[in-house]
């Protein structure tokens, strides 16, 4: 009588998945070119995108899902760090402004811009995002410094001068310390916002340069769009009652898995002090997947847009494609195709997705190994070409070097 085949242990499958993610990440960080597709967003989806932009500070990643309902507006916000008092206070200020604008009669953005609370919001956004804004300004200043004689840089500098920005000492202006926002940051983000709007389709300009302008100007653009949206009559009822839900990050401690810890002990004789530290061995559910799998938004009937302050990684994009294959309607703002080893599997369909993803990870690993071995083989086969013009003299010189080392 034939023996029954043993069923695969689901835990071993998940362990294999995490192991291969680490291997694939170590040999191929970027799996493909980042998507450059522009997504046409609805007004409410653009609002979500703008919120994600102004809520992401330092190196944080933020995801936002907004739903306009008949009598209220429901907003899910997820980020990859714990929510601090500073964060909640900042979000409350945005929420209060939206409610206040919804109470008044519909007004234009020009009228709203004269309000003190709107200017205060703009200032708070620049202060909250000051570190990231500073880094983006430095990249733009580097572009200007390295290409100051190029036509596109000259054009940009002329525009800055017309916006009352002194372009003669850009190199001497340091980024904000995070404590105080200067007039320079305010003028630069508004100027970049306007300049990008009129030049984003200019094919004579380097895309990298335009990208830096877009990022610096994104803060002004986001505030303008948020205020403009809140001033419209159709959003007055939803924005007067905002159901805001902040999702906590979902961590997983790998070393709590006995099999992983035992395996590390077997191979390396222990996990070491560094790995034992909680901050090191935690992996997190990425922010877009936190919203997708820990809320009630998954639907096969209507599309759900999740705005993310950073494009989705390779595994998040793969998981979203997997959900789409099951009939769920989801839209995100592109992917950057990078692999991250501190990536947590969502609980929803975890085993089924891991099984599908393992095939893709195997292909990535095998492809990279094959490419690497070809390079080595080619190098070995061309070994005779390494002979120098005077091998005897070089051999003597090498002997002297080694004798000195000895």
């Amino acid at each position: 009588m034939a023996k029954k085949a043993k069923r695969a242990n689901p835990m071993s499958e998940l362990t294999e998945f995490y192991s291969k993610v680490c291997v694939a990440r170590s040999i191929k960080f970027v799996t493909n070119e980042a998507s450059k597709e522009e997504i046409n967003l609805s007004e409410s989806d653009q609002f979500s995108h703008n919120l994600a932009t102004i809520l992401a500070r330092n190196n944080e990643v933020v995801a936002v899902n907004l739903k306009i309902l008949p009598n209220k507006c429901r907003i899910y916000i997820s980020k990859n760090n714990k929510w601090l008092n500073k964060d909640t206070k900042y979000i409350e200020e945005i929420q209060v402004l939206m409610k206040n604008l919804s109470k008044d009669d519909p007004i234009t953005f020009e009228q709203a811009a004269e309000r003190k609370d709107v200017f205060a919001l703009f200032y708070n956004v620049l202060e909250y995002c000051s570190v990231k804004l500073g880094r983006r300004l430095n990249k733009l200043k580097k572009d200007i410094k390295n290409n100051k004689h190029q036509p596109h840089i000259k054009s940009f500098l002329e525009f800055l001068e017309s916006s009352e920005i002194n372009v003669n000492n850009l190199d001497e202006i340091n980024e904000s310390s995070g404590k105080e926002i200067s007039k320079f940051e305010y003028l630069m983000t508004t100027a970049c916002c306007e300049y990008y709007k009129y030049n984003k389709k200019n094919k004579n300009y380097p895309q990298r340069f335009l990208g830096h302008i877009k990022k610096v100007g994104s803060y002004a653009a986001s505030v303008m769009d948020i205020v403009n949206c809140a001033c419209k009559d159709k959003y007055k009822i939803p924005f007067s009652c905002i159901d805001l839900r902040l999702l906590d990050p979902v961590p997983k401690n790998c070393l709590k898995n006995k099999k992983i810890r035992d395996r590390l002990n077997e191979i390396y004789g222990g996990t070491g002090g560094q790995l034992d530290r909680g901050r090191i061995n935690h992996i997190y559910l990425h922010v877009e997947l936190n919203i997708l799998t820990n809320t009630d938004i998954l639907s096969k009937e209507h599309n759900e847009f999740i705005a993310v302050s950073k494009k989705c990684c390779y595994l998040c994009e793969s998981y979203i494609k997997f959900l789409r294959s099951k009939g769920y309607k989801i839209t995100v703002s592109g992917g950057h195709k990078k692999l991250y080893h501190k990536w947590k599997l969502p609980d929803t369909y975890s085993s089924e997705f891991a099984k599908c993803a393992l095939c893709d990870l195997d292909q990535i690993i095998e492809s990279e190994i094959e490419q690497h071995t070809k390079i080595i083989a080619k190098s070995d086969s061309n070994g005779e070409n390494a002979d120098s013009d005077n091998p005897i003299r070089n051999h003597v010189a090498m002997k002297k070097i080694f004798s000195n080392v000895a």
Side-chain angles (χ1 to χ4, degrees), residues 59 132-147 153 156 171 175 188 208-209 211-213 215-216:
N59 294 318
K132 183 174 279 189
L133 173 59
R135 286 200 301 266
R136 291 176 169 182
L137 277 169
N138 279 343
K139 289 179 180 179
L140 182 56
K141 287 190 283 186
K142 189 176 180 180
D143 276 345
I144 294 170
K145 182 180 179 181
N146 294 340
N147 303 282
I153 297 296
F156 180 59
D171 292 341
E175 70 271 23
M188 278 297 289
R208 185 179 179 84
F209 169 68
H212 290 159
I213 290 178
K215 287 182 177 180
V216 171

Side-chain angles (χ1 to χ4, degrees), residues 55-63 77-88 91 128 131-132 135 245-251 278-280 282-288 290 309 342:
L55 291 176
R57 63 187 182 92
N58 301 354
N59 294 318
E60 292 179 342
V61 183
V62 174
I77 305 176
S78 167
K79 76 168 185 169
N80 59 342
N81 277 332
K82 292 180 179 178
W83 293 103
L84 305 177
N85 290 335
K86 178 181 180 179
D87 302 326
T88 53
I91 293 171
Y128 187 79
V131 175
K132 183 174 279 189
R135 286 200 301 266
R245 306 181 191 184
L246 304 181
L247 304 182
D248 290 324
V250 181
R279 287 180 61 190
I280 299 294
H282 275 153
I283 61 176
Y284 285 88
L285 185 65
H286 282 200
V287 290
E288 54 270 64
N290 194 2
S309 60
K342 290 187 175 183

Side-chain angles (χ1 to χ4, degrees), residues 60-102:
E60 292 179 342
V61 183
V62 174
V64 177
N65 171 261
L66 177 145
K67 189 78 172 177
I68 301 294
L69 301 169
N71 298 314
K72 68 176 182 178
C73 166
R74 189 220 62 217
I75 305 175
Y76 288 118
I77 305 176
S78 167
K79 76 168 185 169
N80 59 342
N81 277 332
K82 292 180 179 178
W83 293 103
L84 305 177
N85 290 335
K86 178 181 180 179
D87 302 326
T88 53
K89 183 181 177 183
Y90 173 67
I91 293 171
E92 283 170 6
E93 289 169 351
I94 298 171
Q95 194 174 353
V96 167
L97 174 64
M98 290 165 61
K99 286 183 178 180
N100 288 341
L101 287 171
S102 69

Side-chain angles (χ1 to χ4, degrees), residues 70-342:
N71 298 314
K72 68 176 182 178
C73 166
R74 189 220 62 217
I75 305 175
Y76 288 118
I77 305 176
S78 167
K79 76 168 185 169
N80 59 342
N81 277 332
K82 292 180 179 178
W83 293 103
L84 305 177
N85 290 335
K86 178 181 180 179
D87 302 326
T88 53
K89 183 181 177 183
Y90 173 67
I91 293 171
E92 283 170 6
E93 289 169 351
I94 298 171
Q95 194 174 353
V96 167
L97 174 64
M98 290 165 61
K99 286 183 178 180
N100 288 341
L101 287 171
S102 69
K103 292 176 185 176
D104 298 336
D105 293 331
I107 55 175
T108 64
F109 174 78
E110 288 73 16
Q111 291 171 314
E114 296 177 1
R115 294 172 53 135
K116 290 183 179 180
D117 53 357
V118 171
F119 179 79
L121 171 68
F122 198 177
Y123 183 89
N124 289 342
V125 167
L126 295 182
E127 184 180 47
Y128 187 79
C129 303
S130 60
V131 175
K132 183 174 279 189
L133 173 59
R135 286 200 301 266
R136 291 176 169 182
L137 277 169
N138 279 343
K139 289 179 180 179
L140 182 56
K141 287 190 283 186
K142 189 176 180 180
D143 276 345
I144 294 170
K145 182 180 179 181
N146 294 340
N147 303 282
K148 56 186 176 182
H149 299 301
Q150 295 295 324
H152 64 277
I153 297 296
K154 290 180 178 179
S155 166
F156 180 59
L157 291 177
E158 287 173 5
F159 182 82
L160 292 184
E161 284 186 320
S162 69
S163 302
E164 301 180 7
I165 296 173
N166 184 359
V167 299
N168 295 319
N169 64 339
L170 285 178
D171 292 341
E172 299 172 11
I173 301 174
N174 295 320
E175 70 271 23
S176 169
S177 63
K179 296 180 180 179
E180 186 176 348
I181 296 299
S182 69
K183 185 180 178 181
F184 173 73
E185 280 92 358
Y186 174 82
L187 291 175
M188 278 297 289
T189 185
T190 51
C192 286
C193 171
E194 188 176 354
Y195 189 82
Y196 180 77
K197 183 169 64 175
Y198 293 113
N199 293 278
K200 60 183 177 181
K201 294 183 179 179
N202 192 326
K203 294 181 180 179
N204 295 321
Y205 286 8
Q207 290 302 306
R208 185 179 179 84
F209 169 68
L210 285 175
H212 290 159
I213 290 178
K214 180 183 180 181
K215 287 182 177 180
V216 171
S218 64
Y219 301 102
S222 295
V223 172
M224 290 176 191
D225 283 351
I226 287 171
V227 172
N228 197 35
C229 196
C231 289
K232 293 186 177 180
D233 187 50
K234 64 179 178 179
Y235 294 115
K236 289 201 168 293
I237 293 176
F239 286 168
S240 65
C241 181
I242 300 173
D243 179 10
L244 180 65
R245 306 181 191 184
L246 304 181
L247 304 182
D248 290 324
V250 181
K252 174 184 174 67
N253 191 323
C254 299
L255 296 186
K256 285 185 178 179
N257 184 319
K258 188 176 183 301
K259 288 187 177 181
I260 295 176
R261 182 176 280 276
D262 289 346
R263 187 65 173 153
L264 287 170
N265 281 327
E266 180 185 343
I267 297 172
Y268 300 110
T271 54
Q274 194 174 27
L275 276 178
D276 284 330
R277 287 167 55 194
R279 287 180 61 190
I280 299 294
N281 61 64
H282 275 153
I283 61 176
Y284 285 88
L285 185 65
H286 282 200
V287 290
E288 54 270 64
L289 301 191
N290 194 2
I291 289 180
L292 267 179
T293 58
N294 290 314
T295 66
D296 56 356
I297 74 163
L298 267 182
S299 172
K300 294 183 179 181
E301 296 178 3
H302 55 268
N303 185 65
E304 288 289 348
F305 174 71
I306 299 178
V308 191
S309 60
K310 186 177 183 178
K311 288 184 177 182
C312 295
C313 74
Y314 170 79
L315 289 171
C316 284
E317 194 175 18
S318 297
Y319 184 80
I320 289 168
K321 286 179 181 177
F322 168 79
L323 289 180
R324 285 179 188 149
S325 72
K326 290 191 164 295
Y328 294 105
K329 297 179 179 179
I330 308 158
T331 303
V332 289
S333 45
H336 55 60
K337 312 293 183 185
K338 293 178 182 177
L339 263 170
Y340 294 111
H341 59 275
K342 290 187 175 183

Side-chain angles (χ1 to χ4, degrees), residues 21-34:
V21 167
C22 289
V23 173
R25 162 65 176 81
S26 66
I27 62 176
K28 193 171 180 69
F29 177 41
V30 182
T31 61
N32 210 330
E33 286 188 13

